[in-house]
Amino acid sequence: RKEVEQDPGPFNVPEGATVAFNCTYSNSASQSFFWYRQDCRKEPKLLMSVYSSGNEDGRFTAQLNRASQYISLLIRDSKLSDSATYLCVASDSNYQLIWGAGTKLIIKP
Amino acid sequence: GAVVSQHPSWVICKSGTSVKIECRSLDFQATTMFWYRQFPKQSLMLMATSNEGSKATYEQGVEKDKFLINHASLTLSTLTVTSAHPEDSSFYICSARGRGGRGINQPQHFGDGTRLSIL
């Protein structure tokens, strides 16, 4: 079983719709969580950290459920420019990042 | 924001060549640098972690004699792929994390990546 699992997609979503991804992690000792965005053939870019209380940044909302060991990312009013691969990341107590394989999102006009 | 510069961005070379990739933190001191490799449609895989002034810690399955890492200063780390072969063709990405504050929530700052193609 992978330590961080994501649905690879692709998610094909019309522009303006709301889309949500989930990501599960197996290590209950994981301490920090992040969502990164990666465009094709580019390096990952930090989208947002995920806090226990949940956090929101504009159209993006991240949630953490420690009991069920999953994190989620919600994108509202999706834009064409949101098309990318979204990577879920968990950090252990040694700050080592464990990456999911990513969920591909395609926003269609 | 923090900037990490990685060079070169794309390398094509013959089998048996050694390739050096540089990773520089431009506006902060990177106490820890990470080297990742990503094959098409797969997740980033950590190869090694290096702290300034000390030997790199390699992940299981990564040959330290083949992937030489040097983190000689707080702003520069290099990865040398020695005697590269076609199976080493991949996307190599470095990232850096600075010092200070609570490290637990400090994200890593990534370089642009190096696409390595071995013929």
Side-chain angles (χ1 to χ4, degrees), chain B residues 16-66:
Chain B
T17 307
S18 291
V19 179
K20 180 185 279 189
I21 303 170
E22 291 188 351
C23 182
R24 294 180 184 273
S25 58
L26 299 184
D27 56 357
F28 69 102
Q29 292 184 327
T31 49
T32 306
M33 285 192 170
F34 305 85
W35 287 95
Y36 294 87
R37 181 167 53 182
Q38 185 179 33
F39 292 105
K41 299 187 179 181
Q42 295 187 24
S43 63
L44 288 171
M45 296 298 297
L46 180 65
M47 299 175 67
T49 302
S50 73
N51 293 297
E52 183 265 338
S54 60
K55 289 183 179 179
T57 301
Y58 289 80
E59 296 301 301
Q60 191 173 11
V62 178
E63 299 175 58
K64 62 180 180 181
D65 294 330
K66 181 169 182 65

Side-chain angles (χ1 to χ4, degrees), chain A residues 79-98:
Chain A
K79 313 290 184 189
L80 294 176
S81 57
D82 294 333
S83 297
T85 295
Y86 290 83
L87 301 165
C88 169
V89 188
S91 170
D92 64 19
S93 56
N94 294 319
Y95 312 138
Q96 178 169 327
L97 298 187
I98 310 297

